[in-house]
Amino acid sequence: MAGEIQQQAIRDVKAAIDEMVNTVKDLPEDTIRWKPSAEEWSIMQVIAHVAEAIPFWLGEIRQIMQSPKDVWGRDHTNKIRLAAVDESTVDKLAVEKVLNDLKQIPAQTEETLSKLTDEQLQTVAPSRNPNFDGKPVQFIIDKLIVGHIQGHNGQIQRNLSKLK
């Protein structure tokens, strides 16, 4: 079923998650929890966010496939999204648990994307976010999954560069 587009996305997710885990796994915990500024996320907040967001978007893809007329997505004020990066929540999380959650994402991605046909990649459903309304499933994969992880890898590197 899965074509080359889906297989490439699966490979890209694995590479991006591997990069994230390999960058973070040997860092001292105080580095992982350090915030460059009051407005910026710590590396811990970044990885906690990715560990929550990617399974969320995979679930949205599955929902669209089951019920393409249903509204999908969320905005930046979503309570679950905000809780995943809230300092009081993140402070209670163990780094190792979040890294283990991240390591599950490639398999979760393969499980979802390998079932999609090329035609299903073009499925469009209404979105809660007006910026995403009318976008196909391919957009969710490219921007909200693959691009999202890659962008947060850049954020981790920016945090680390501020320590030097």
Side-chain angles (χ1 to χ4, degrees):
M1 267 207 319
E4 181 53 34
I5 294 170
Q6 299 88 318
Q7 292 302 321
Q8 186 61 52
I10 291 165
R11 288 189 296 271
D12 290 347
V13 166
K14 181 177 180 347
I17 290 293
D18 286 351
E19 177 185 341
M20 186 172 285
V21 169
N22 289 331
T23 298
V24 175
K25 69 180 182 181
D26 294 324
L27 293 174
E29 187 155 341
D30 61 333
T31 298
I32 294 169
R33 294 185 183 278
W34 173 74
K35 286 179 60 91
S37 72
E39 298 80 32
E40 294 173 278
W41 286 355
S42 67
I43 292 171
M44 186 65 184
Q45 286 172 294
V46 171
I47 65 174
H49 168 67
V50 170
E52 182 277 328
I54 303 309
F56 172 82
W57 293 121
L58 292 169
E60 293 297 277
I61 290 172
R62 291 189 298 273
Q63 181 60 38
I64 291 168
M65 293 301 100
Q66 290 174 357
S67 252
K69 302 268 187 241
D70 288 351
V71 177
W72 66 272
R74 64 185 181 187
D75 61 23
H76 285 155
T77 63
N78 177 272
K79 289 179 182 166
I80 295 170
R81 178 193 175 275
L82 293 174
V85 297
D86 183 80
E87 287 181 68
S88 63
T89 304
V90 172
D91 287 348
K92 297 174 190 164
L93 293 174
V95 172
E96 198 58 42
K97 185 210 180 302
V98 178
L99 289 175
N100 285 333
D101 291 346
L102 288 174
K103 291 175 188 176
Q104 304 308 309
I105 289 175
Q108 294 166 356
T109 301
E110 183 169 10
E111 171 70 20
T112 298
L113 300 190
S114 66
K115 295 177 182 172
L116 297 178
T117 65
D118 289 347
E119 185 176 282
Q120 287 173 315
L121 294 176
Q122 300 313 311
T123 302
V124 174
S127 175
R128 285 180 184 83
N129 185 327
N131 295 324
F132 301 159
D133 205 29
K135 302 287 188 190
V137 167
Q138 180 72 50
F139 170 84
I140 300 170
I141 295 167
D142 293 343
K143 176 148 177 64
L144 303 177
I145 296 177
V146 175
H148 199 130
I149 301 166
Q150 292 169 339
H152 284 304
N153 274 329
Q155 187 176 8
I156 290 169
Q157 292 304 322
R158 286 188 298 278
N159 279 22
L160 292 173
S161 73
K162 292 175 184 179
L163 287 169
K164 296 176 183 175

